[in-house]
Amino acid sequence: AQLDATLLDGELVVDSLTSAKRAQPGDDAPATKMRFLAYDACHVAGKPCCDEPINVRLMRLRRDVLGPRYALSVEKPESFADDPFTVEQKDFFDLRQLPHIFSRVQSAPPGSSILYAYNDPLRPLSHGNDGIIFTPVRDPYRPYTCPALLKWKPSNMNSVDFKLMTKWRRKDGLPKAQPRFVLCVSENGLHQMYTWITFSEEDFERFASDAKRDSRILECVYDPDWQTVEYDPNDSRENTWDFPRVKQGGWRFERIREDKKMANDIRVVKSVESSVRDGVTAPELLSTLRIPATASELGAFAPQAEGHGGAALSAQPQQPPAPVAPTSASVPAPQNE
């Protein structure tokens, strides 16, 4: 097969491995593993397939790419020994499996590099999960943004990456300036102040003593129950911290993004804020699709677990996969992301 004439769409993920899954025993065993998860095929073995339905495109991926690679790995395991990553097909599901998917998404343990984990003993996901992709089954593959491709996530998983900035002023007549923190967004390639952030007492002390704080990118979620303390951002009008104003709702810190140097663009932030305001909860989603589910089957997607608001359906770039066996040609099908 002419696998050099093959173009796949997918994502490269870095999985965290437990000691039991590491490739080699001992302290030098790798703690991570890279996988290319293919979720669509544009051109396979010299044949274009963009205009085929998704089940045909994925069939060609399995038959002409993954199948031969697996056979070669059995016959000659050394063939892939130096590959920097493995190649697999990303998991996809039938609509009726949504309650099963929801029930397996749980908050990751404290200190983890991910916020939510997909804990299915039959198919664990080691790179985190933050929502569901609905992919039209019979539509052709098209690059860029596909309006028929929808991503759903609870509002507590709708996060934004901000750049942290410290402001210094005096408080209560003290001679030494005290820090307060603002969040910056990217606009035209530059970081601009966007809003204030109020940390927990522990996180405040953490960033107040962090020499690299103003280079940090913080992943935050919007919480309408979080009390945010604001001040006049203009230092010439207000040069102390003596006039705080408390606002109900605000961005709550989740984790530091060590892998990023730039904040999200302001257009992304506005889109996320709109998604939070107009959210759809997991029960509402399942009710609309007429899929029965109990509260215990909602996992981290349960309203009480969300903590605020609902979730959003928004157009996404055509990237994640779709299930092979749709329940209806007119109904999108879900993909665990």
Side-chain angles (χ1 to χ4, degrees), residues 93 123 158 208 226 273 325:
F93 304 83
R123 188 65 170 171
N158 256 317
W226 190 256
E273 289 179 336

Side-chain angles (χ1 to χ4, degrees), residues 135-258:
T135 305
V137 175
R138 293 189 177 179
D139 285 17
Y141 176 91
R142 292 293 181 263
Y144 307 111
T145 299
C146 174
L149 191 69
L150 303 176
K151 179 174 182 177
W152 177 91
K153 62 166 67 178
S155 56
N156 64 312
M157 296 183 184
N158 256 317
S159 62
V160 168
D161 296 329
F162 294 100
K163 184 179 182 295
L164 187 64
M165 184 175 76
T166 312
K167 292 180 73 69
W168 296 88
R169 295 176 187 172
R170 291 187 175 89
K171 184 179 185 297
D172 297 330
L174 297 174
K176 189 176 181 180
Q178 305 293 316
R180 297 294 185 270
F181 301 99
V182 296
L183 299 174
C184 300
V185 297
S186 175
E187 189 170 9
N188 298 321
L190 300 174
H191 282 123
Q192 306 287 346
M193 177 180 171
Y194 187 70
T195 189
W196 296 90
I197 183 171
T198 298
F199 290 114
S200 67
E201 184 175 342
E202 179 182 355
D203 287 328
F204 180 89
E205 295 299 330
R206 172 187 182 183
F207 287 110
S209 60
D210 183 358
K212 297 182 179 180
R213 57 182 170 265
D214 285 347
S215 64
R216 300 293 191 190
I217 301 295
L218 308 186
E219 183 174 359
C220 303
V221 295
Y222 188 84
D223 186 344
D225 298 323
W226 190 256
Q227 289 193 331
T228 302
V229 181
E230 297 185 326
Y231 305 86
D232 189 327
N234 191 320
D235 293 333
S236 62
R237 288 196 304 260
E238 190 173 303
N239 59 6
T240 73
W241 301 126
D242 295 337
F243 305 99
R245 294 170 288 279
V246 178
K247 182 187 74 171
Q248 188 72 12
W251 292 96
R252 178 165 49 82
F253 168 67
E254 288 285 340
R255 61 170 177 161
I256 296 175
R257 292 296 302 267
E258 301 285 3

